[in-house]
Amino acid sequence: MTTTAKPTLAPRRHVANTVSNWVDRNLKWIFTAPAIAFVALLIIFPIGYTVFLSLTDSASSVTRPFDFIGFDNYAYWLTDVTRFWPAVGRTAYFTAVALTLELGFGLAIALLLRKTFRGQSIVRVFILLPLVATPVAVGMMWLLIFEPTIGFANVLMKSLGLPAQLWLSGKESALNTIIFIDVWQWTPMIILILLAGLSTIPEEPEEAALVDGANAWQRFRHVTLPLLMPTLGAAAILRSIDAMKTFDIIYATKGRNGGSNNEAETLNMLAYNESFGNSQYGSAAALLMLFLTFIIIILAVLAILRKKGTRV
Amino acid sequence: MIALGAGMTACAPAGGDSSADVTELTLIAANSPWTKGLETLAVDYEEETGVKVNLEFYGNEQLNDTLKVKLNAQSSDFDIYAYQVQDVMREFSRNGWLADMTDYVSSDPEWDWDDFQSSARDAVTLDGVVYGVPVMTERHVMYYRSDLLEQAGIPVPTTLDELAAAAAKLNNPDNGFYGIAMRGAKVPLVTQFSSFLYSYGGDFQDEDGNATVDTPEAIEAYEFYGKLLKDYGPPGATNMGWPEASAIFAQGNAAFYLDADSQAYTFLDPANSAVVDTVAYGSFPAGPAGSHPYSIVPQTVGINEFSKKKDAAWEFIKWVTNEENSKKLLSEATVPVARDSAWADDEATSGFPAGLVEIVRSSEGTVGHDRPQLEQVALAREIVGAPAVVAIEGGNVSDSAKQAQTDFQKLLDGEK
Amino acid sequence: MSAITHSSVQSVARTRRRRGKSVVGPTFRTIAIVFVVLLFIAPLAWMLLAAFKTNLDIVTPSRTFDFTPTLGNFETVFGAQNFLPFILNSLIVGFGSTVVALILGVPAAYGIARYTIRNATAFVLLARVIPGVSLLIPWYFLFSQVQLVGTYTVLILTHIFVTMPLVVAIMTGFFEGLPNELEEAAQIDGCGKVEAFIRVVLPLSLPGLATSAILSFIFSWNNFLFALVLSNQSTRTLPVAISNFTSYASVDWGGLMAAAVIITIPVMLVALFAQKYVISGLTAGATKG
C-alpha cells in the first residue's frame, strides 16, 4: 500500500502512484474540506453579525444608531420568567415528546416495512406523503380540521361517542395537538432513514441468532438494534434539531406569538417574534445565541448518549 | 444574473432624478382588493408611458418580513411599496425607510390632494410630513342575519346592549349555532376591540400619548367584549382571527359578525358563503358614549427611500391614484378608495352593496385609528390585547388591565 | 474481494424471499401495513377532497363527503394564479441544490465516518442548527452586494445550506453502519481509496443515497424562509407563492388545498422514482452475483 512496497513500478506509474498515495493519505481532508468551506463561507458572517448585534440595543432598524450594552440582553432573557423560561420549557417538552414518539413509531413501522412485499414502493411513497405536503398548507389544513366548531376532528369525535375537544384552541391542549401534527408529519422521515439503515445490516448475525433459538425480541434487542444504532443516532440528531426549531406548523396554527396565552410559544417562535414582530434586533440576537447554545448542549448530550449506545 | 447587473447600473443615474430614462419600476405589496385592480392598470400604464411596472405581491405577514429584511439592508431592488399605515408608518418613517412625499402631493393641483378624505390625509401625515397616498379605506361594521332577526322579531340593534340581548336570544350552542362571531385571539382582536373601547368613552392613549387602558371605561369595554364572546360566541374563541371567525358566520352558524367592511364580498359570493341572501349590514352599535367605530386607511402606497427612481415612482403613484383611475378601481374592482369625488359618484359606487355605501358616506363619529399609536405597534398589541383574552376566559379583567397599563406605559416611555 | 460483496447481497436477497413467506404471519402484517398507511394519508385525503370543494363546503363539516365536486380551485391555481412557473422554479432549485448537496456531502460524510472527524460533523451540522431567522438580514445584505438576489444561483446556494447537512448526517450514519472490511478488501485488491469509495462503497450505498436525495429534495422544495426574501417574482418558489391564497379579506381555502395537492405530485414522483431506483439497484446486485 505504501510507495516503498512497490519499488519495481515504471516511472510513469510511479508518478501516478505518488499522486494517488498523496490523495489516499489526505483523503480525510480532500473529502471533507469542500463541505466545510461551503458552510464556513455562508455562516461566519451571519454568526459574527449576530454576536455583534447581541451586545447592542439595536432596535427598529439595524442602521439606526445604537449603544453597546454588554451582556444586558443576555441578562434580560435569563431573568425573564414570563416569556423566556416558559418558552425554554415548551421547547424542551415539545422536542422530548415529539422525538420519543417519532423514534418509537418510526422504528416500529420501519421494521414492519423492512422485508419486501408486493406494492412496497407504493406504500413507501404513501408513507412519505405527510413529509412532502407543503408545511404552510398542512398547517392551514390542520387548523381547519381541528377547528372546534367547523372542523372535522370534532365531528369524528362525536361519531365515536367521544366529547368534543378544543384541540388547537385550548390553553392546555394546543401544544399537545401540535405535537400530534409534528409526529404525523415527521415520523415518515425517521422511517425512511431507518429503512435505508436496515438495508445495510447483513442478516447473517440474525440468522445465527435464530439458529441459537433467540426469539424475535431478543434478536431485535441484541442483534438488529446495536447494528442500527449509528443510523438511529443520525436520525435522532437530525430530528431533534428540527423539532427544536419547529416553526411552520406553530406559526400557521397559533400565529406569531404562539397563541393568546403564548401557550405554544417555543424559543424559535419567540426569537422570530422579537426580530420580525417587535424589531428588537439586539435582544433578538441575544435570544438567538442563547437558543443556539441550548441546541448545542442538547446535541452534545445526544452525541454522548449515542456513543454509549454504540458501545453497548 | 449578468443582465440584471448591467440593468442595475444602467438604471442608476446619480441623484436618480431623470425619470425620463426609467423604463422599469418595481412595486411590492400585500394582496388586497387594490392589488387586484392594479394588475390591469399596470398594463395600461405600460401602454401609455412605456414604463413597465413589475408587481410582486405577498401575504400580509410575508410582506412585513420581506420589507424588514430588504429595508434593513437598504435595498434599492424595489421603488414603490404598499404598507399598512397603522402598523408600520411610524416605525418605517423614523427608520428613514419611507421617502418624504410632501412636495410631491402638493406639486400638481389638477391631481388634487384635497380630494382625498381628510381623515385619510391625516392618517398618512406624521409631524407635518406626508409619507404616502392612501389607496384603501376601511370601517368597522356589524354584519347580521336579517332572516333570523326578522323571525325572532328582533329589531336591528343600534346599541351595544341591544346587540348583547339579541345575541343572547339567538344563541343556541347545543345546535352549534352562536349569537356572535368575532376575533378572540390576543393580537388580531385589538383592532376590532378598538371601536368598543371608543364607544365606551375610552381610548388606548390620551391626547399626550399616555396609556389609558385601565380607566373604568376601558375595563367596562374589555368586560363587555369578553362577555359577548364568552357567553354567546363559539368555543375556542381565543384562537380566532378573522379567517376563522368569518368562516363561522359565512357558514351560517352565527347571527352577528363584527369586523371590517372590506370583508363584505366574502359573504356575497355563493362559493364562500351560505348567507348570500340573508346577510345585512348595520352601523357599529352605540355604546354609553355613542357609536364610534374606527375608520382607517389600511393600505397606503409610498416610495422606498433607497430607490434610485423616486420621480418615476411618483409619476406612477400619481397616475394610479388620479380621479379617473380611482373611480375605475371603485367601480370595477370594488376597491374602497379614499377619494371623496369617487364616493360621491353614484355610477362609481353602483357595484357596492347599498347598505355599505351609506355607512361610508356618513363618517360621523368615526375614529381614525384602530390600535395604539406608537412605533412598536406589535408589542403594544400583545399588551393591550391581553385583558380582552382574560375577559373571554372569565378571569379578573381589572387586574389584567392594570398590568397592561403598566407595561404599555413603560413601552411608551421607552420611545420618548 | 468482489466475492464478499456479492455473496452478502445475494444472501440478503435470499433470506428476504424466504422469510417473507414463512416466518411472519402475512395477514397480520398486511393489516398492520394498511392501518399505518391509512393513518398517514387520512388527513391528506381530507385535503384532496377539499381541493374539489367550494370554500363553503370546506368549512361545513356535514359536507365532508357529501358535496358536488368542482374543478374551480384547479382553474384558479393554473389560471388566475398561474402556478406553472413557480413549479418550474421549485424544480430547478430543488434539483440543483440536491445534486450539489450530494456532491459536497457524500464524500464529506465518508471522510467523517471513516476517520471519525467529530469536529467536522459538528461544524457541518452547525449549518442546520443555526436558526434561519439570524441568517436572513446578513445574507440579504451579502447577496445584494454581489447582485445575486433574485437569481436561481442564490436560491440554490442557500438551499444547499439546508440540504447538505442533512445529507452529511444521514450518510455518516449510513457509512458507519457499513462494514469497513469491504474497502479494505478492495484496497488489498489494488484499488486506491478513492477508487474503492467509488467502485465499492457508493454502489452499496444506493439506499442511503436515495434517502438523502429524497429528503434533500423535499427540504429544498418546502423551504419557505430563504426563498421568501431572496427570490423575486420570476424566481419565486412554490411555498412563497402559496401565500397568494391569503388575500386581504378572505382565505381561499379551496385554492390553497388544490395548490397543495399539485405541489405534492412532483415530489411524489421523485420519491417513487428514487425508490424504484433503489429497489432495482438491489435486485441487479443480487442477480449479478
Side-chain angles (χ1 to χ4, degrees):
Chain A
M1 244 177 85
T2 53
T3 14
T4 47
K6 283 159 188 164
T8 52
L9 290 173
R12 203 196 287 167
R13 241 345 253 290
H14 188 76
V15 171
N17 226 42
T18 323
V19 172
S20 154
N21 276 320
W22 181 85
V23 167
D24 276 7
R25 257 180 288 120
N26 297 291
L27 193 71
K28 187 174 164 178
W29 299 116
I30 294 169
F31 268 20
T32 48
I36 290 173
F38 179 84
V39 173
L41 210 64
L42 283 184
I43 214 172
I44 285 174
F45 175 60
I47 288 194
Y49 189 68
T50 308
V51 172
F52 166 79
L53 274 183
S54 75
L55 303 172
T56 72
D57 64 354
S58 173
S60 204
S61 158
V62 294
T63 46
R64 267 206 205 184
F66 51 80
D67 290 321
F68 279 98
I69 53 168
F71 289 91
D72 284 8
N73 286 324
Y74 293 92
Y76 168 76
W77 287 118
L78 291 172
T79 53
D80 175 27
V81 289
T82 54
R83 294 293 274 272
F84 179 75
W85 287 109
V88 172
R90 278 182 220 112
T91 310
Y93 173 78
F94 180 89
T95 308
V97 177
L99 187 68
T100 310
L101 293 175
E102 281 157 21
L103 287 178
F105 289 137
L107 188 57
I109 297 169
L111 289 171
L112 180 70
L113 300 180
R114 182 185 186 188
K115 280 147 204 137
T116 40
F117 57 91
R118 239 169 22 149
Q120 172 169 324
S121 59
I122 284 290
V123 165
R124 287 189 182 187
V125 170
F126 273 157
I127 283 186
L128 264 185
L129 281 179
L131 196 60
V132 168
T134 313
V136 185
V138 166
M140 301 198 67
M141 171 190 90
W142 285 112
L143 190 62
L144 278 178
I145 291 181
F146 280 129
E147 220 300 315
T149 315
I150 54 180
F152 183 64
N154 275 344
V155 175
L156 192 69
M157 293 295 278
K158 274 178 210 155
S159 72
L160 294 173
L162 297 165
Q165 300 291 319
L166 281 178
W167 304 113
L168 291 164
S169 308
K171 222 197 278 194
E172 281 82 29
S173 57
L175 198 58
N176 288 327
T177 311
I178 295 172
I179 289 179
F180 170 86
I181 299 174
D182 195 74
V183 170
W184 172 82
Q185 193 177 358
W186 292 104
T187 303
M189 182 172 95
I190 309 283
I191 299 174
L192 193 69
I193 296 178
L194 292 184
L195 278 174
L198 281 170
S199 73
T200 66
I201 295 177
E203 298 204 11
E204 283 91 347
E206 246 192 278
E207 283 181 349
L210 201 60
V211 174
D212 292 348
N215 66 28
W217 167 251
Q218 284 169 329
R219 257 181 293 145
F220 168 72
R221 174 69 188 79
H222 297 290
V223 180
T224 313
L225 193 59
L227 285 169
L228 196 58
M229 243 3 199
T231 322
L232 199 61
I237 284 182
L238 269 184
R239 189 55 215 131
S240 59
I241 296 172
D242 286 349
M244 281 185 266
K245 295 202 302 176
T246 300
F247 182 78
D248 298 289
I249 46 172
I250 306 182
Y251 185 79
T253 55
K254 297 299 288 181
R256 180 172 273 167
N257 47 1
S260 288
N261 294 294
N262 310 117
E263 62 269 21
E265 186 172 73
T266 56
L267 277 175
N268 204 26
M269 295 295 293
L270 185 61
Y272 176 80
N273 191 30
E274 189 71 359
S275 183
F276 286 101
N278 303 338
S279 309
Q280 301 294 315
Y281 299 110
S283 81
L287 185 57
L288 286 166
M289 291 315 294
L290 287 171
F291 183 30
L292 196 59
T293 318
F294 181 66
I295 302 180
I296 289 171
I297 291 172
I298 301 275
L299 282 185
V301 172
L302 272 179
I304 292 166
L305 286 179
R306 195 181 159 191
K307 234 186 191 171
K308 276 192 183 161
T310 348
R311 256 192 246 130
V312 166
Chain B
M1 205 172 105
I2 293 159
L4 180 72
M8 278 175 85
T9 36
C11 297
D17 279 335
S18 43
S19 61
D21 300 340
V22 175
T23 55
E24 236 182 299
L25 287 169
T26 300
L27 178 152
I28 65 180
N31 297 319
S32 73
W34 182 68
T35 55
K36 270 252 148 42
L38 205 57
E39 278 167 4
T40 45
L41 284 180
V43 177
D44 294 349
Y45 190 69
E46 190 178 356
E47 274 168 15
E48 242 175 72
T49 64
V51 177
K52 183 171 166 34
V53 183
N54 301 311
L55 305 172
E56 286 187 26
F57 300 145
Y58 298 87
N60 207 14
E61 305 255 296
Q62 285 80 42
L63 179 74
N64 170 72
D65 299 354
T66 315
L67 281 179
K68 281 191 176 171
V69 171
K70 294 188 173 176
L71 291 167
N72 262 313
Q74 311 204 333
S75 165
S76 57
D77 289 356
F78 62 100
D79 311 289
I80 306 166
Y81 61 107
Y83 60 91
Q84 200 349 324
V85 185
Q86 299 278 323
D87 263 337
V88 303
M89 193 177 80
R90 269 165 205 271
E91 186 184 351
F92 281 21
S93 62
R94 289 190 185 150
N95 286 347
W97 290 352
L98 279 166
D100 179 346
M101 291 172 72
T102 321
D103 292 339
Y104 283 134
V105 296
S106 53
S107 64
D108 188 349
E110 215 172 288
W111 176 73
D112 198 4
W113 179 228
D114 290 335
D115 184 31
F116 286 82
Q117 294 164 0
S118 67
S119 60
R121 274 179 287 139
D122 287 347
V124 297
T125 310
L126 191 66
D127 305 326
V129 179
V130 177
Y131 287 108
V133 176
V135 290
M136 264 178 76
T137 61
E138 188 175 83
R139 287 140 297 269
H140 205 175
V141 294
M142 175 179 73
Y143 298 92
Y144 64 92
R145 290 280 299 279
S146 55
D147 56 331
L148 297 177
L149 261 64
E150 214 167 285
Q151 268 169 33
I154 305 170
V156 179
T158 55
T159 68
L160 288 174
D161 289 334
E162 285 171 22
L163 171 68
K169 203 163 174 192
L170 293 169
N171 191 39
N172 188 358
D174 294 338
N175 282 342
F177 187 86
Y178 302 94
I180 193 164
M182 295 193 297
R183 303 184 198 181
K186 185 164 70 176
V187 172
L189 71 75
V190 170
T191 53
Q192 310 310 306
F193 166 70
S194 70
S195 303
F196 288 81
L197 182 61
Y198 310 149
S199 301
Y200 265 87
D203 201 333
F204 298 108
Q205 290 151 276
D206 60 20
E207 295 93 46
D208 303 325
N210 288 314
T212 54
V213 292
D214 69 341
T215 58
E217 294 85 8
I219 292 174
E220 264 188 87
Y222 277 126
E223 273 171 347
F224 181 80
Y225 194 87
K227 182 183 149 61
L228 273 184
L229 278 176
K230 178 164 67 86
D231 295 345
Y232 321 122
T238 53
N239 207 40
M240 281 188 188
W242 61 262
E244 295 88 5
S246 76
I248 288 175
F249 184 76
Q251 189 217 355
N253 273 355
F256 291 95
Y257 174 61
L258 274 68
D259 212 295
D261 58 359
S262 50
Q263 290 174 26
Y265 286 92
T266 326
F267 304 128
L268 293 178
D269 174 0
N272 279 317
S273 158
V275 296
V276 177
D277 300 320
T278 52
V279 59
Y281 322 93
S283 301
F284 189 83
S291 167
H292 298 294
Y294 65 75
S295 169
I296 56 147
V297 175
Q299 291 290 311
T300 292
V301 58
I303 299 176
N304 176 7
E305 176 66 22
F306 308 111
S307 164
K308 298 191 172 81
K309 310 170 202 168
K310 289 201 188 97
D311 286 350
W314 165 247
E315 287 303 319
F316 176 72
I317 292 175
K318 194 170 95 172
W319 178 83
V320 83
T321 56
N322 67 23
E323 196 177 322
E324 187 197 335
N325 283 324
S326 293
K327 282 183 182 165
K328 203 185 248 175
L329 283 168
L330 180 61
S331 63
E332 286 170 19
T334 58
V335 181
V337 294
R339 273 187 183 267
D340 281 327
S341 60
W343 283 102
D345 185 339
D346 284 331
E347 206 177 311
T349 58
S350 60
F352 252 69
L356 276 182
V357 177
E358 295 317 308
I359 294 171
V360 176
R361 281 179 181 164
S362 72
S363 57
E364 222 173 296
T366 56
V367 179
H369 59 270
D370 65 348
R371 61 201 85 185
Q373 294 186 287
L374 73 166
E375 272 189 50
Q376 302 176 71
V377 181
L379 213 48
R381 283 180 78 159
E382 277 202 54
I383 293 169
V384 303
V389 171
V390 170
I392 297 167
E393 288 170 348
N396 187 330
V397 177
S398 87
D399 282 1
S400 171
K402 285 205 180 76
Q403 182 65 46
Q405 169 75 12
T406 315
D407 294 346
F408 185 27
Q409 186 60 45
K410 212 166 102 193
L411 193 65
L412 289 164
D413 289 342
E415 284 190 11
K416 275 175 188 165
Chain C
M1 98 93 228
S2 53
I4 302 172
T5 351
H6 287 164
S7 71
S8 77
V9 168
Q10 207 174 17
S11 99
V12 168
R14 211 187 304 129
T15 33
R16 268 197 191 147
R17 258 174 264 136
R18 178 160 21 97
R19 191 81 51 76
K21 271 175 201 156
S22 58
V23 180
V24 184
T27 344
F28 172 74
R29 185 154 174 255
T30 313
I31 291 169
I33 290 173
V34 169
F35 179 73
V36 164
V37 168
L38 280 182
L39 223 56
F40 280 117
I41 63 170
L44 294 165
W46 184 90
M47 187 188 244
L48 187 65
L49 287 181
F52 292 96
K53 288 181 197 173
T54 62
N55 286 330
L56 180 61
D57 288 347
I58 292 174
V59 298
T60 311
S62 62
R63 294 193 207 152
T64 302
F65 301 107
D66 175 24
F67 63 94
T68 320
T70 164
L71 284 176
N73 296 322
F74 291 93
E75 278 163 23
T76 314
V77 172
F78 285 109
Q81 297 286 359
N82 192 20
F83 253 52
L84 225 48
F86 303 135
I87 296 179
L88 202 66
N89 290 340
S90 276
L91 282 174
I92 292 172
V93 175
F95 275 117
S97 60
T98 300
V99 168
V100 183
L102 287 175
I103 292 172
L104 288 175
V106 174
Y110 183 73
I112 289 168
R114 283 294 175 258
Y115 302 96
T116 50
I117 325 172
R118 297 243 175 266
N119 300 340
T121 332
F123 190 74
V124 174
L125 270 180
L126 194 60
R128 192 137 193 92
V129 166
I130 187 167
V133 174
S134 59
L135 298 168
L136 287 182
I137 293 173
W139 274 4
Y140 189 88
F141 182 75
L142 273 183
F143 291 124
S144 60
Q145 293 300 306
V146 287
Q147 298 189 350
L148 277 179
V149 172
T151 61
Y152 289 122
T153 315
V154 80
L155 291 173
I156 291 175
L157 275 178
T158 53
H159 284 212
I160 296 167
F161 195 78
V162 176
T163 56
M164 194 191 65
L166 192 79
V167 172
V168 171
I170 295 174
M171 291 313 290
T172 306
F174 190 89
F175 288 138
E176 279 173 3
L178 213 60
N180 223 339
E181 297 85 46
L182 299 171
E183 301 109 278
E184 278 165 13
Q187 279 159 27
I188 291 165
D189 280 3
C191 286
K193 284 185 181 172
V194 179
E195 231 181 323
F197 171 68
I198 294 171
R199 290 214 188 145
V200 181
V201 179
L202 281 187
L204 282 173
S205 309
L206 275 180
L209 290 174
T211 296
S212 310
I214 292 172
L215 289 176
S216 166
F217 186 80
I218 289 172
F219 273 79
S220 163
W221 186 259
N222 285 343
N223 183 284
F224 172 72
L225 210 50
F226 298 156
L228 172 68
V229 297
L230 294 169
S231 68
N232 64 19
Q233 190 66 26
S234 61
T235 52
R236 185 179 278 200
T237 57
L238 284 167
V240 183
I242 276 271
S243 68
N244 284 357
F245 292 100
T246 318
S247 71
Y248 185 74
S250 62
V251 175
D252 183 2
W253 308 105
L256 191 74
M257 298 303 155
V261 168
I262 289 162
I263 290 176
T264 310
I265 292 170
V267 196
M268 257 183 83
L269 292 177
V270 169
L272 194 62
F273 175 75
Q275 286 288 352
K276 270 195 178 144
Y277 185 62
V278 177
I279 290 165
S280 69
L282 279 181
T283 355
T287 45
K288 232 191 282 162

